Amino acid sequence: MPTESEAGWPRNYAATVDIALRPLAQLILERRRQRPFMVGLSGPQGSGKSTACEVLSDLLRGHGLRVASLSIDDLYLTHAERQILARDVHPLLATRGPPGTHDRALGMSVLAALRAGESLALPRFDKSTDDRTPEADWPWFEGPADVVLFEGWCVGARPAPMADLATPLNALERNEDPTGVWRAYVNTALAADQTLFAQLDALIQILPPDFEVVVGWRREQEAKLRAARPGAPGLMDDAQVARFVAHFERVTRRLLEEGPARADAVLRLDAERRPLSFSVRQPAPPPSTL
């Protein structure tokens, strides 16, 4: 019989649990040397990061650990704050998601509080309204945390050399950012975001077969949101999703190329999100004292 937690997991998810998430929970248990152990979970839009975090949280709680979960999506600037950026810097900054549209100070304060063993309300963002959830509605986490799971599409991403930004990558960059102001701002913000990612003790990466499947995955994700909140103003149709994903393409492609060599563990998926492999990078041995 499945446990209460397992009964709530998605159907046909057993292979992902057995191939990757149970071994990942065991890896966290083995490598945890302090409280809390902060784990970043990176993967492109629609790759199943949120579900993986929920299941991984259940597995770790089954070992008696207190687990706090936070998404980088929960750190988006408010709608009003992004409108100011769009007016003062570049119109594309009205769109949530890329580096530069997150509240880095909020993220640092939340992770610092969790690192200090505090209890606190964890921020949340409502994508159906494209705005931050009122603070009174944020869920309360009772500390101290043993493990912190911090997931997001660009968690662990690194900025590109500025010279790489010169040539537009897609129609969005070519038509709406011809002078490169927006992509330079995003890249500079990502460089500053390294202070946030430096708080992590381990990085796990979910890899799709290629970038092209991401649009389809994101469309599926948005369709679920539309079904749950019909008529909500912040939701997108398929054409809007394709344009939305173009905002993320440059950073995502770079992370898919160079991230696996740095990640502590990598879960590779096929186009149907079925697990192909799970690999763990062994930590470097301590330097010799001889």
Side-chain angles (χ1 to χ4, degrees):
M1 291 293 290
T3 66
E4 182 177 349
S5 294
E6 291 171 345
W9 294 349
R11 293 182 179 181
N12 304 320
Y13 204 63
T16 302
V17 173
D18 290 340
I19 290 173
L21 298 183
R22 291 192 195 280
L24 181 53
Q26 187 60 41
L27 182 70
I28 291 171
L29 290 169
E30 292 172 356
R31 295 196 179 179
R32 193 170 66 94
R33 294 291 182 269
Q34 73 284 327
R35 172 194 285 177
F37 190 66
M38 295 198 173
V39 180
L41 181 63
S42 175
Q45 296 178 72
S47 59
K49 299 181 298 297
S50 297
T51 300
C53 272
E54 291 173 6
V55 174
L56 184 57
S57 294
D58 286 340
L59 292 170
L60 293 169
R61 290 182 184 118
H63 289 275
L65 301 183
R66 291 184 179 180
V67 183
S69 294
L70 180 70
S71 171
I72 201 166
D73 292 358
D74 295 320
L75 303 179
Y76 287 142
L77 295 169
T78 66
H79 183 84
E81 289 168 333
R82 285 180 281 119
Q83 292 302 312
I84 293 171
L85 279 178
R87 181 195 68 202
D88 295 346
V89 182
H90 194 284
L92 287 177
L93 291 169
T95 300
R96 69 177 188 262
T101 65
H102 301 97
D103 189 334
R104 189 182 308 112
L106 175 62
M108 290 293 290
S109 68
V110 170
L111 294 183
L114 290 168
R115 179 77 76 183
E118 298 177 11
S119 302
L120 73 161
L122 297 174
R124 291 293 183 262
F125 189 91
D126 186 348
K127 294 179 181 178
S128 68
T129 62
D130 193 28
D131 213 344
R132 190 175 295 164
T133 302
E135 190 168 349
D137 296 331
W138 293 0
W140 184 257
F141 176 76
E142 191 66 34
D146 295 300
V147 176
V148 176
L149 300 179
F150 182 40
E151 60 96 350
W153 76 275
C154 63
V155 168
R158 290 181 174 174
M162 292 300 287
D164 291 358
L165 309 180
T167 303
L169 182 67
N170 53 35
L172 178 84
E173 293 186 358
R174 185 168 55 253
N175 298 332
E176 301 185 49
D177 185 39
T179 61
V181 170
W182 171 73
R183 49 191 185 268
Y185 185 91
V186 169
N187 199 59
T188 300
L190 183 56
D193 287 341
Q194 300 308 300
T195 59
L196 189 61
F197 304 149
Q199 308 307 308
L200 301 174
D201 300 305
L203 178 65
I204 315 303
Q205 189 168 11
I206 299 176
L207 282 182
D210 50 53
F211 178 79
E212 281 64 34
V213 304
V214 175
V215 175
W217 286 355
R218 188 62 181 82
R219 282 174 172 158
E220 292 175 14
Q221 194 177 48
E222 197 71 13
K224 292 178 182 178
L225 289 171
R226 290 198 303 268
R229 299 285 296 276
L235 301 181
M236 299 175 282
D237 60 26
D238 284 354
Q240 290 170 319
V241 168
R243 180 181 178 277
F244 181 67
V245 173
H247 290 74
F248 302 78
E249 183 173 358
R250 180 177 293 273
V251 175
T252 299
R253 285 188 181 276
R254 177 171 167 78
L255 181 56
L256 296 182
E257 291 172 1
E258 61 84 25
R262 296 186 288 106
D264 294 276
V266 176
L267 168 60
R268 297 182 182 273
L269 303 178
D270 68 11
E272 303 301 321
R273 298 188 193 82
R274 292 174 299 213
L276 295 175
S277 66
F278 177 71
S279 58
V280 175
R281 180 170 59 88
Q282 296 302 317
S288 173
T289 58
L290 297 180

